[in-house]
PDB file of all heavy atoms in Angstrom:
ATOM      1  N   MET D 212      93.001 115.930 119.173  1.00  0.00           N
ATOM      2  CA  MET D 212      94.089 116.677 119.799  1.00  0.00           C
ATOM      3  C   MET D 212      94.746 117.583 118.773  1.00  0.00           C
ATOM      4  O   MET D 212      94.634 117.362 117.560  1.00  0.00           O
ATOM      5  CB  MET D 212      95.171 115.731 120.348  1.00  0.00           C
ATOM      6  CG  MET D 212      94.726 114.732 121.376  1.00  0.00           C
ATOM      7  SD  MET D 212      96.125 113.701 121.894  1.00  0.00           S
ATOM      8  CE  MET D 212      95.265 112.417 122.789  1.00  0.00           C
ATOM      9  N   SER D 213      95.457 118.567 119.276  1.00  0.00           N
ATOM     10  CA  SER D 213      96.334 119.327 118.393  1.00  0.00           C
ATOM     11  C   SER D 213      97.527 118.455 118.032  1.00  0.00           C
ATOM     12  O   SER D 213      97.853 117.497 118.739  1.00  0.00           O
ATOM     13  CB  SER D 213      96.821 120.601 119.088  1.00  0.00           C
ATOM     14  OG  SER D 213      97.721 120.274 120.148  1.00  0.00           O
ATOM     15  N   THR D 214      98.179 118.783 116.927  1.00  0.00           N
ATOM     16  CA  THR D 214      99.329 117.991 116.488  1.00  0.00           C
ATOM     17  C   THR D 214     100.432 117.999 117.531  1.00  0.00           C
ATOM     18  O   THR D 214     101.040 116.957 117.817  1.00  0.00           O
ATOM     19  CB  THR D 214      99.869 118.533 115.152  1.00  0.00           C
ATOM     20  OG1 THR D 214      98.825 118.503 114.176  1.00  0.00           O
ATOM     21  CG2 THR D 214     101.046 117.702 114.656  1.00  0.00           C
ATOM     22  N   ASP D 215     100.698 119.151 118.121  1.00  0.00           N
ATOM     23  CA  ASP D 215     101.765 119.260 119.127  1.00  0.00           C
ATOM     24  C   ASP D 215     101.438 118.416 120.360  1.00  0.00           C
ATOM     25  O   ASP D 215     102.303 117.714 120.891  1.00  0.00           O
ATOM     26  CB  ASP D 215     101.978 120.722 119.532  1.00  0.00           C
ATOM     27  CG  ASP D 215     102.664 121.534 118.442  1.00  0.00           C
ATOM     28  OD1 ASP D 215     103.258 120.899 117.529  1.00  0.00           O
ATOM     29  OD2 ASP D 215     102.602 122.771 118.497  1.00  0.00           O
ATOM     30  N   HIS D 216     100.198 118.501 120.828  1.00  0.00           N
ATOM     31  CA  HIS D 216      99.822 117.746 122.023  1.00  0.00           C
ATOM     32  C   HIS D 216      99.882 116.248 121.755  1.00  0.00           C
ATOM     33  O   HIS D 216     100.367 115.463 122.584  1.00  0.00           O
ATOM     34  CB  HIS D 216      98.420 118.144 122.480  1.00  0.00           C
ATOM     35  CG  HIS D 216      97.955 117.417 123.710  1.00  0.00           C
ATOM     36  ND1 HIS D 216      98.684 117.400 124.884  1.00  0.00           N
ATOM     37  CD2 HIS D 216      96.842 116.666 123.940  1.00  0.00           C
ATOM     38  CE1 HIS D 216      98.046 116.675 125.792  1.00  0.00           C
ATOM     39  NE2 HIS D 216      96.928 116.216 125.240  1.00  0.00           N
ATOM     40  N   PHE D 217      99.401 115.826 120.585  1.00  0.00           N
ATOM     41  CA  PHE D 217      99.459 114.412 120.217  1.00  0.00           C
ATOM     42  C   PHE D 217     100.910 113.931 120.165  1.00  0.00           C
ATOM     43  O   PHE D 217     101.233 112.849 120.676  1.00  0.00           O
ATOM     44  CB  PHE D 217      98.789 114.206 118.859  1.00  0.00           C
ATOM     45  CG  PHE D 217      98.928 112.809 118.314  1.00  0.00           C
ATOM     46  CD1 PHE D 217      98.066 111.805 118.708  1.00  0.00           C
ATOM     47  CD2 PHE D 217      99.936 112.501 117.405  1.00  0.00           C
ATOM     48  CE1 PHE D 217      98.189 110.515 118.216  1.00  0.00           C
ATOM     49  CE2 PHE D 217     100.069 111.215 116.897  1.00  0.00           C
ATOM     50  CZ  PHE D 217      99.198 110.223 117.307  1.00  0.00           C
ATOM     51  N   SER D 218     101.784 114.714 119.561  1.00  0.00           N
ATOM     52  CA  SER D 218     103.193 114.322 119.439  1.00  0.00           C
ATOM     53  C   SER D 218     103.847 114.194 120.800  1.00  0.00           C
ATOM     54  O   SER D 218     104.620 113.253 121.045  1.00  0.00           O
ATOM     55  CB  SER D 218     103.951 115.339 118.580  1.00  0.00           C
ATOM     56  OG  SER D 218     103.460 115.349 117.254  1.00  0.00           O
ATOM     57  N   ARG D 219     103.543 115.131 121.697  1.00  0.00           N
ATOM     58  CA  ARG D 219     104.121 115.066 123.047  1.00  0.00           C
ATOM     59  C   ARG D 219     103.617 113.838 123.794  1.00  0.00           C
ATOM     60  O   ARG D 219     104.388 113.143 124.463  1.00  0.00           O
ATOM     61  CB  ARG D 219     103.787 116.345 123.831  1.00  0.00           C
ATOM     62  CG  ARG D 219     104.557 117.571 123.385  1.00  0.00           C
ATOM     63  CD  ARG D 219     104.446 118.684 124.417  1.00  0.00           C
ATOM     64  NE  ARG D 219     103.064 119.109 124.601  1.00  0.00           N
ATOM     65  CZ  ARG D 219     102.466 120.074 123.908  1.00  0.00           C
ATOM     66  NH1 ARG D 219     103.145 120.720 122.957  1.00  0.00           N
ATOM     67  NH2 ARG D 219     101.224 120.415 124.148  1.00  0.00           N
ATOM     68  N   LEU D 220     102.316 113.565 123.683  1.00  0.00           N
ATOM     69  CA  LEU D 220     101.746 112.412 124.377  1.00  0.00           C
ATOM     70  C   LEU D 220     102.286 111.100 123.799  1.00  0.00           C
ATOM     71  O   LEU D 220     102.585 110.155 124.536  1.00  0.00           O
ATOM     72  CB  LEU D 220     100.222 112.443 124.269  1.00  0.00           C
ATOM     73  CG  LEU D 220      99.458 111.409 125.110  1.00  0.00           C
ATOM     74  CD1 LEU D 220      99.758 111.591 126.589  1.00  0.00           C
ATOM     75  CD2 LEU D 220      97.957 111.528 124.862  1.00  0.00           C
ATOM     76  N   PHE D 221     102.422 111.056 122.476  1.00  0.00           N
ATOM     77  CA  PHE D 221     102.973 109.864 121.825  1.00  0.00           C
ATOM     78  C   PHE D 221     104.399 109.621 122.306  1.00  0.00           C
ATOM     79  O   PHE D 221     104.772 108.483 122.640  1.00  0.00           O
ATOM     80  CB  PHE D 221     102.951 110.061 120.303  1.00  0.00           C
ATOM     81  CG  PHE D 221     103.220 108.806 119.512  1.00  0.00           C
ATOM     82  CD1 PHE D 221     102.175 108.098 118.947  1.00  0.00           C
ATOM     83  CD2 PHE D 221     104.511 108.346 119.321  1.00  0.00           C
ATOM     84  CE1 PHE D 221     102.405 106.937 118.208  1.00  0.00           C
ATOM     85  CE2 PHE D 221     104.767 107.196 118.593  1.00  0.00           C
ATOM     86  CZ  PHE D 221     103.707 106.487 118.033  1.00  0.00           C
ATOM     87  N   LEU D 222     105.200 110.668 122.359  1.00  0.00           N
ATOM     88  CA  LEU D 222     106.579 110.540 122.827  1.00  0.00           C
ATOM     89  C   LEU D 222     106.620 110.071 124.278  1.00  0.00           C
ATOM     90  O   LEU D 222     107.423 109.198 124.642  1.00  0.00           O
ATOM     91  CB  LEU D 222     107.305 111.877 122.690  1.00  0.00           C
ATOM     92  CG  LEU D 222     108.740 111.936 123.228  1.00  0.00           C
ATOM     93  CD1 LEU D 222     109.646 110.976 122.481  1.00  0.00           C
ATOM     94  CD2 LEU D 222     109.284 113.364 123.125  1.00  0.00           C
ATOM     95  N   GLN D 223     105.747 110.624 125.107  1.00  0.00           N
ATOM     96  CA  GLN D 223     105.699 110.242 126.513  1.00  0.00           C
ATOM     97  C   GLN D 223     105.311 108.780 126.688  1.00  0.00           C
ATOM     98  O   GLN D 223     105.864 108.063 127.524  1.00  0.00           O
ATOM     99  CB  GLN D 223     104.696 111.144 127.249  1.00  0.00           C
ATOM    100  CG  GLN D 223     104.519 110.792 128.719  1.00  0.00           C
ATOM    101  CD  GLN D 223     103.450 111.661 129.382  1.00  0.00           C
ATOM    102  OE1 GLN D 223     102.956 112.622 128.798  1.00  0.00           O
ATOM    103  NE2 GLN D 223     103.066 111.306 130.598  1.00  0.00           N
ATOM    104  N   GLN D 224     104.377 108.324 125.856  1.00  0.00           N
ATOM    105  CA  GLN D 224     103.846 106.974 126.021  1.00  0.00           C
ATOM    106  C   GLN D 224     104.718 105.913 125.345  1.00  0.00           C
ATOM    107  O   GLN D 224     104.877 104.808 125.864  1.00  0.00           O
ATOM    108  CB  GLN D 224     102.432 106.895 125.463  1.00  0.00           C
ATOM    109  CG  GLN D 224     101.717 105.594 125.799  1.00  0.00           C
ATOM    110  CD  GLN D 224     100.206 105.729 125.683  1.00  0.00           C
ATOM    111  OE1 GLN D 224      99.663 106.793 125.889  1.00  0.00           O
ATOM    112  NE2 GLN D 224      99.544 104.647 125.349  1.00  0.00           N
ATOM    113  N   PHE D 225     105.330 106.260 124.199  1.00  0.00           N
ATOM    114  CA  PHE D 225     106.038 105.256 123.406  1.00  0.00           C
ATOM    115  C   PHE D 225     107.519 105.546 123.229  1.00  0.00           C
ATOM    116  O   PHE D 225     108.217 104.823 122.507  1.00  0.00           O
ATOM    117  CB  PHE D 225     105.384 105.102 122.033  1.00  0.00           C
ATOM    118  CG  PHE D 225     103.918 104.802 122.096  1.00  0.00           C
ATOM    119  CD1 PHE D 225     103.005 105.606 121.443  1.00  0.00           C
ATOM    120  CD2 PHE D 225     103.445 103.725 122.833  1.00  0.00           C
ATOM    121  CE1 PHE D 225     101.647 105.338 121.497  1.00  0.00           C
ATOM    122  CE2 PHE D 225     102.090 103.451 122.901  1.00  0.00           C
ATOM    123  CZ  PHE D 225     101.192 104.259 122.237  1.00  0.00           C
ATOM    124  N   ASN D 226     108.014 106.622 123.846  1.00  0.00           N
ATOM    125  CA  ASN D 226     109.439 106.948 123.811  1.00  0.00           C
ATOM    126  C   ASN D 226     109.969 107.168 122.396  1.00  0.00           C
ATOM    127  O   ASN D 226     111.140 106.892 122.105  1.00  0.00           O
ATOM    128  CB  ASN D 226     110.268 105.858 124.506  1.00  0.00           C
ATOM    129  CG  ASN D 226     109.934 105.711 125.963  1.00  0.00           C
ATOM    130  OD1 ASN D 226     109.851 106.702 126.697  1.00  0.00           O
ATOM    131  ND2 ASN D 226     109.717 104.487 126.409  1.00  0.00           N
ATOM    132  N   MET D 227     109.114 107.649 121.503  1.00  0.00           N
ATOM    133  CA  MET D 227     109.526 107.929 120.138  1.00  0.00           C
ATOM    134  C   MET D 227     108.523 108.891 119.511  1.00  0.00           C
ATOM    135  O   MET D 227     107.332 108.805 119.787  1.00  0.00           O
ATOM    136  CB  MET D 227     109.588 106.637 119.316  1.00  0.00           C
ATOM    137  CG  MET D 227     110.173 106.793 117.925  1.00  0.00           C
ATOM    138  SD  MET D 227     110.233 105.216 116.995  1.00  0.00           S
ATOM    139  CE  MET D 227     111.421 104.292 117.969  1.00  0.00           C
ATOM    140  N   ARG D 228     109.019 109.825 118.707  1.00  0.00           N
ATOM    141  CA  ARG D 228     108.116 110.725 117.998  1.00  0.00           C
ATOM    142  C   ARG D 228     107.280 109.936 116.998  1.00  0.00           C
ATOM    143  O   ARG D 228     107.745 108.946 116.430  1.00  0.00           O
ATOM    144  CB  ARG D 228     108.921 111.794 117.255  1.00  0.00           C
ATOM    145  CG  ARG D 228     109.672 112.759 118.174  1.00  0.00           C
ATOM    146  CD  ARG D 228     108.738 113.735 118.831  1.00  0.00           C
ATOM    147  NE  ARG D 228     109.460 114.707 119.651  1.00  0.00           N
ATOM    148  CZ  ARG D 228     108.860 115.622 120.414  1.00  0.00           C
ATOM    149  NH1 ARG D 228     107.529 115.671 120.460  1.00  0.00           N
ATOM    150  NH2 ARG D 228     109.572 116.472 121.117  1.00  0.00           N
ATOM    151  N   PRO D 229     106.019 110.344 116.753  1.00  0.00           N
ATOM    152  CA  PRO D 229     105.158 109.566 115.859  1.00  0.00           C
ATOM    153  C   PRO D 229     105.713 109.407 114.453  1.00  0.00           C
ATOM    154  O   PRO D 229     105.637 108.320 113.873  1.00  0.00           O
ATOM    155  CB  PRO D 229     103.834 110.340 115.873  1.00  0.00           C
ATOM    156  CG  PRO D 229     104.134 111.668 116.472  1.00  0.00           C
ATOM    157  CD  PRO D 229     105.298 111.477 117.367  1.00  0.00           C
ATOM    158  N   LEU D 230     106.292 110.464 113.868  1.00  0.00           N
ATOM    159  CA  LEU D 230     106.837 110.342 112.515  1.00  0.00           C
ATOM    160  C   LEU D 230     107.989 109.356 112.482  1.00  0.00           C
ATOM    161  O   LEU D 230     108.093 108.537 111.557  1.00  0.00           O
ATOM    162  CB  LEU D 230     107.300 111.707 112.010  1.00  0.00           C
ATOM    163  CG  LEU D 230     107.878 111.712 110.585  1.00  0.00           C
ATOM    164  CD1 LEU D 230     106.853 111.194 109.582  1.00  0.00           C
ATOM    165  CD2 LEU D 230     108.326 113.128 110.208  1.00  0.00           C
ATOM    166  N   LYS D 231     108.851 109.395 113.498  1.00  0.00           N
ATOM    167  CA  LYS D 231     109.963 108.457 113.580  1.00  0.00           C
ATOM    168  C   LYS D 231     109.446 107.028 113.709  1.00  0.00           C
ATOM    169  O   LYS D 231     109.979 106.101 113.084  1.00  0.00           O
ATOM    170  CB  LYS D 231     110.840 108.804 114.781  1.00  0.00           C
ATOM    171  CG  LYS D 231     112.000 107.852 115.028  1.00  0.00           C
ATOM    172  CD  LYS D 231     113.086 107.988 113.997  1.00  0.00           C
ATOM    173  CE  LYS D 231     114.317 107.199 114.389  1.00  0.00           C
ATOM    174  NZ  LYS D 231     115.403 107.313 113.392  1.00  0.00           N
TER     175      LYS D 231
END
Side-chain angles (χ1 to χ4, degrees):
M212 301 180 192
S213 69
T214 302
D215 287 343
H216 180 54
F217 174 83
S218 296
R219 287 195 298 270
L220 188 60
F221 192 100
L222 176 62
Q223 177 183 351
Q224 190 160 330
F225 306 124
N226 298 313
M227 187 180 294
R228 294 286 183 185
L230 181 59
K231 177 72 171 180

